[in-house]
Amino acid sequence: MQRTLILIGLALLVIGLAWPWLGKLPLGRLPGDIVIDRPSFKLYLPITTMILVSALLSLLMWLFRR
């Protein structure tokens, strides 16, 4: 459990340090992401982004378990 918490903390630290560069990636603005913008209502559904992130995380988990 301690090792897992340390790895999660290190991953969050790396993501935090890389945030200026990660913000420039087109994640969240991909074709297939749905945005409904009305005067009193805004709905954002990042469907394509969620599928892409899920596939990448699944691939990483598969590689680490081998």
Side-chain angles (χ1 to χ4, degrees), residues 4 6 13-15 20 27-28 35 40 44-46 48-50 54 56:
T4 304
I6 290 172
L13 178 68
V14 168
I15 291 171
L27 289 177
V35 178
S40 63
Y44 178 67
L45 297 170
T48 307
T49 301
M50 289 188 296
S54 175
L56 288 174

Side-chain angles (χ1 to χ4, degrees), residues 47-66:
I47 295 172
T48 307
T49 301
M50 289 188 296
I51 292 171
L52 181 64
V53 169
S54 175
L56 288 174
L57 288 176
S58 296
L59 178 65
L60 286 174
M61 294 300 288
W62 180 75
L63 288 174
F64 283 128
R65 290 177 188 240
R66 286 191 98 200

Side-chain angles (χ1 to χ4, degrees), residues 3-53:
R3 182 179 173 202
T4 304
L5 288 175
I6 290 172
L7 289 175
I8 291 171
L10 288 174
L12 288 173
L13 178 68
V14 168
I15 291 171
L17 291 174
W19 193 255
W21 297 283
L22 291 175
K24 295 179 184 177
L25 291 175
L27 289 177
R29 297 180 302 269
L30 295 173
D33 291 345
I34 299 171
V35 178
I36 299 174
D37 194 7
R38 299 196 180 182
S40 63
F41 178 75
K42 185 168 186 172
L43 177 67
Y44 178 67
L45 297 170
I47 295 172
T48 307
T49 301
M50 289 188 296
I51 292 171
L52 181 64
V53 169

